[in-house]
Amino acid sequence: MKIYNKTLKKGYKLLRTGRYGNVISLLEPKVPLFLENYHFYYFLGAACYLTGDMGGAETYLKRAVQVNRKAEDPRLFLAAVYLKKKDTTEAVRIWLGLLDLNPSNRKARKGLNKIRKIDDQDVLNVYLDSGNFSSILPRTGKLIPDWIWGALILAVLAGTLYLSSSLWIPLFNESRQPSRGNLERLYKNLDSSFLRPESADSEVTYILSEDEIRDSLKKAQSLFDDYRDNEARVEINRLRNSNASEEVKQKALMLEGFLKDPDITGITGDYSYRDIRENPDLYENCLVLWRGRFTNLTYENDEIIFDFLVGYDTSQVLEGIMSVSVNFPVNLDPSYPLELMGKVKIDEDKSIRLQAIAVHNIIE
């Protein structure tokens, strides 16, 4: 692959060594400089896919195909994007088109055969939910950079020395972080007196009964076990802002420490603008995935600030307006609607805003 532009050379090197977020940070602000460059859109689209930003991946990979109609690699990534979205019809269409271009493309044929051989919907759903499509994707470079091999060898040697000593094994077992499978159940080993609600004061938002407190703990635990962390956070917020005892709140805070933010394809909980406005405390630090348009864009220190017109992506229905702050480089075109993944934040003055996690224009 011959690349002469220094920026694209750097982007390709970052992509090959697995630094996909750095690829996006480097290239996305430079969209106006590479409007007709195939490599630019392919590198950016591949990096978006590999970081879980399927909206961005679809946008940039489609543009890569528009610029270079004979390109095969972005088509393979695009097919995987649609598999992530469970749109097997579109994935099959892309593979068939690719085989028309190059009948010997093994990855396209492998993907096509895989889907055609699955005649049970449940089996198909398991395959799509797994998200493991690496075997039908083009290689973006070295699977494992050389420096990682060295680090792996050192890690194995250090681990062998560490675990060979029976003196350290008990300490290791006690100090390692528990997995989801063995995390102590929140609602066990709690005396009924701790589940009893306390007197409500002016700072309490949710008045819960003893049964509701127990149910909320159980629900938070169940959602966490199912890796639905975004929804588990709602139950934790409910308890934190309720008349539950301090013991219960400490249990909830313990679980909160294990929560992880999902990527753009793994968000659960379809929270609307109205949900957030009516119960901001309940959704604090939860993630939302909304479409709309932006206005009143300004720059403050190192942040981009704008008003997000929620639901106005089709210019027909406006659900509401939410302030958004972005602390990473992004190129926004007011001609196109936006897809925004953001975290709900409540500032000291009780104003509500979204802290952007991922944002990109929707280019159909």
Side-chain angles (χ1 to χ4, degrees), residues 279-297:
N279 297 286
D281 292 334
L282 197 61
Y283 299 101
E284 185 175 11
N285 290 321
C286 289
L287 294 177
V288 296
L289 184 60
W290 291 342
R291 289 191 169 200
R293 292 182 179 270
F294 71 92
T295 186
N296 300 329
L297 187 147

Side-chain angles (χ1 to χ4, degrees), residues 36-316:
E36 299 299 324
N37 191 292
Y38 157 73
H39 289 129
F40 173 83
Y41 288 106
Y42 173 53
F43 297 162
L44 193 49
C48 285
Y49 175 90
L50 293 166
T51 56
D53 179 2
M54 294 303 113
E58 182 178 3
T59 296
Y60 295 123
L61 292 168
K62 279 184 176 179
R63 182 58 183 158
V65 173
Q66 289 173 352
V67 174
N68 183 356
R69 294 290 181 179
K70 294 182 179 181
E72 298 181 25
D73 287 355
R75 293 174 188 265
L76 291 172
F77 269 107
L78 261 179
V81 168
Y82 287 110
L83 290 181
K84 292 271 190 179
K85 294 183 175 185
K86 297 189 177 182
D87 188 348
T88 55
T89 301
E90 186 62 19
V92 167
R93 187 192 68 79
I94 291 172
W95 286 324
L96 290 172
L98 183 48
L99 288 171
D100 285 340
L101 283 174
N102 179 10
S104 64
N105 191 298
R106 293 181 179 180
K107 292 185 180 290
R109 192 165 299 281
K110 183 175 182 179
L112 195 60
N113 291 337
K114 177 72 175 180
I115 295 299
R116 284 178 169 173
K117 287 179 181 178
I118 301 176
D119 54 7
D120 184 281
Q121 187 61 46
D122 290 336
V123 175
L124 179 61
N125 287 336
V126 170
Y127 172 64
L128 296 177
D129 289 338
S130 74
N132 184 17
F133 310 128
S134 58
S135 63
I136 54 177
L137 288 176
R139 288 185 59 178
T140 54
K142 297 179 182 179
L143 289 180
I144 302 181
D146 293 337
W147 66 270
I148 290 185
W149 283 115
L152 286 174
I153 292 170
L154 288 175
V156 169
L157 289 173
T160 302
L161 290 172
Y162 183 75
L163 293 176
S164 63
S165 171
S166 59
L167 175 65
W168 290 102
I169 290 176
L171 295 178
F172 172 75
N173 288 334
E174 290 176 8
S175 64
R176 65 182 177 180
Q177 188 182 67
S179 67
R180 298 201 169 186
N182 60 25
L183 183 66
E184 180 187 355
R185 300 282 161 176
L186 297 179
Y187 49 88
K188 288 187 176 181
N189 303 321
L190 265 180
D191 187 274
S192 60
S193 61
F194 291 120
L195 288 169
R196 192 174 302 125
E198 296 184 347
S199 300
D201 56 32
S202 58
E203 296 183 359
V204 169
T205 306
Y206 304 104
I207 308 299
L208 305 178
S209 67
E210 182 175 329
D211 288 340
E212 288 172 330
I213 291 171
R214 182 184 292 103
D215 290 345
S216 189
L217 279 171
K218 287 184 177 181
K219 187 174 181 181
Q221 177 78 56
S222 176
L223 291 167
F224 174 77
D225 290 344
D226 291 339
Y227 293 86
R228 294 160 63 185
D229 292 15
N230 204 39
E231 293 171 84
R233 193 178 296 278
V234 174
E235 295 306 315
I236 291 170
N237 285 339
R238 190 190 312 278
L239 292 166
R240 289 178 57 215
N241 293 285
S242 76
N243 57 329
S245 69
E246 283 303 313
E247 178 78 4
V248 167
K249 292 180 180 180
Q250 286 302 316
K251 286 271 189 177
L253 287 172
M254 179 192 72
L255 180 61
E256 186 176 33
F258 289 91
L259 298 184
K260 295 180 180 179
D261 288 337
D263 62 28
I264 202 166
T265 63
I267 296 180
T268 60
D270 185 17
Y271 307 134
S272 68
Y273 172 85
R274 184 175 180 178
D275 291 333
I276 306 304
R277 280 296 181 190
E278 290 183 351
N279 297 286
D281 292 334
L282 197 61
Y283 299 101
E284 185 175 11
N285 290 321
C286 289
L287 294 177
V288 296
L289 184 60
W290 291 342
R291 289 191 169 200
R293 292 182 179 270
F294 71 92
T295 186
N296 300 329
L297 187 147
T298 60
Y299 295 87
E300 298 181 11
N301 300 323
D302 294 328
E303 283 193 321
I304 302 171
I305 309 293
F306 60 82
D307 289 331
F308 190 53
L309 309 180
V310 184
Y312 202 59
D313 48 304
T314 58
S315 301
Q316 293 179 342

Side-chain angles (χ1 to χ4, degrees), residues 28 53 55-56 59-60 264 330 332 337-340 358-362:
E28 201 162 44
D53 179 2
T59 296
Y60 295 123
I264 202 166
V330 63
L332 300 177
L338 293 181
E339 184 172 55
L340 170 71
V359 55
H360 63 88
N361 284 119
I362 304 170

